[in-house]
Amino acid sequence: MNRRKFVKVLGTVTPVIAAMPSELMAFNKVANGPIVISTWEPNKKANAEAWEVLSRQGSALDAVHQGVMVPEADPEDTSVGLGGFPDRDGKVTLDACIMDHEGNIGAVMALEEIVHAISVARLVMEKTPHVQIVGDGALQFALENGFKRENLLTPKSIEAWKNWLKKSNYNPMETVELIEERIKKNHDTIGMLAIDSLNNISGACTTSGMAFKMHGRVGDSPIIGAGLYVDNEIGAATGTGVGEEVVRICGSHTIVEAMRYGKSPEEACKHALERLISMKGENHARKIQIGFIALNKNGDYGCYSMLPNFTMAVHSQDGVQIISAKSIF
Ligand code: ASP
């Protein structure tokens, strides 16, 4: 990133962070105590909800669950839950997963007509012998457990879909310009990680997935190890971006393993992105946005993205911070 662009990106962050030398930004530290971090600046609202839970000595699991419900219920958020952009057939299909400090996991994929996919994922974790339920089966399970069917389309998402249909141009590979345009209108998948007052870690990830995707397409977000991973001894990671590429490198698990072998959260996020570059080459990677965030057991956190303009929202006893991720390209 050139200096002008860097300054422009920093223009959106809090003055405290903007004034920090880059060496300090590389390894942000919160000395113990609860903390919650999320993909994307607008998710500071979701973090605030999670922080409410953490500050009442609630569990990290409840914190991430309740935190990510905020964008799920927000009709203005066009990449998560209600109001999420539909697939090419005009159907909103949701993906979500959750993981706690004991290695318990639950996920739903291609779930329709239920706003809070994360709550269904948690129920899969807590009330079934399984870890993933998809499509009609996920809907049936949700309805049997008292969830209400709702129309997830909004006037805004219908209009966007109708506009897309005019050209039906679908290409998940992106340019920096396209990403900047998309971020102006919108933000993406929420991945959230938290540590509670017992020093336990949990994470959640929820999305409507790639806008105008093929019906039934599932990305990284509900896949444990790709879109989210938690190891209570080491730390946790989650991310956003082109799911096909994150699955290829088991992104979140790769990051947690890199932290296990001594990398800081920021270094570990960068390491996972470099794994994709060595596997698929620079020309491929230059067209892909992926943003990772990670948290270790000490409460150190970090992020990194393939292309510019990815942000992370942090909420701790030190207040709210928005971090502009460094990027590979
Ligand atoms: N990772 C999500 C997916 O591939 C989309 C995104 O985060 O933009 O479905």
Side-chain angles (χ1 to χ4, degrees), residues 39-40 79 95 174 182 187-190 205-211 213 217-222 227 239-247 289 291:
T39 52
W40 301 111
S79 48
D95 302 329
E174 300 177 290
R182 191 153 57 87
H187 67 101
D188 277 317
T189 303
I190 179 165
C205 187
T206 179
T207 188
S208 51
M210 202 75 79
K213 60 196 174 188
R217 176 266 185 193
V218 173
D220 60 317
S221 305
T240 178
V242 181
E244 284 72 5
E245 307 300 328
V246 178
V247 169
Q289 178 59 313

Side-chain angles (χ1 to χ4, degrees), residues 21 53 75 80 99 102 104 109 121 162-163 174 193 208 222 227 238 250 290:
V53 176
V80 180
M99 183 162 189
E102 294 179 322
N104 297 312
M109 303 174 193
K162 289 195 170 149
N163 278 336
E174 300 177 290
L193 311 171
S208 51
T238 185
C250 298
I290 298 174

Side-chain angles (χ1 to χ4, degrees), residues 150-209:
E150 279 179 64
N151 176 11
L152 302 183
L153 288 165
T154 58
K156 187 174 168 183
S157 68
I158 293 172
E159 191 191 336
W161 174 55
K162 289 195 170 149
N163 278 336
W164 177 81
L165 280 177
K166 286 179 197 157
K167 286 195 188 153
S168 300
N169 182 15
Y170 181 64
N171 182 7
M173 309 294 251
E174 300 177 290
T175 61
V176 173
E177 290 70 30
L178 261 175
I179 289 166
E180 282 178 355
E181 189 54 31
R182 191 153 57 87
I183 289 167
K184 265 187 233 146
K185 292 193 203 131
N186 188 12
H187 67 101
D188 277 317
T189 303
I190 179 165
M192 179 183 279
L193 311 171
I195 301 182
D196 61 27
S197 52
L198 298 175
N199 213 22
N200 284 325
I201 311 174
S202 286
C205 187
T206 179
T207 188
S208 51

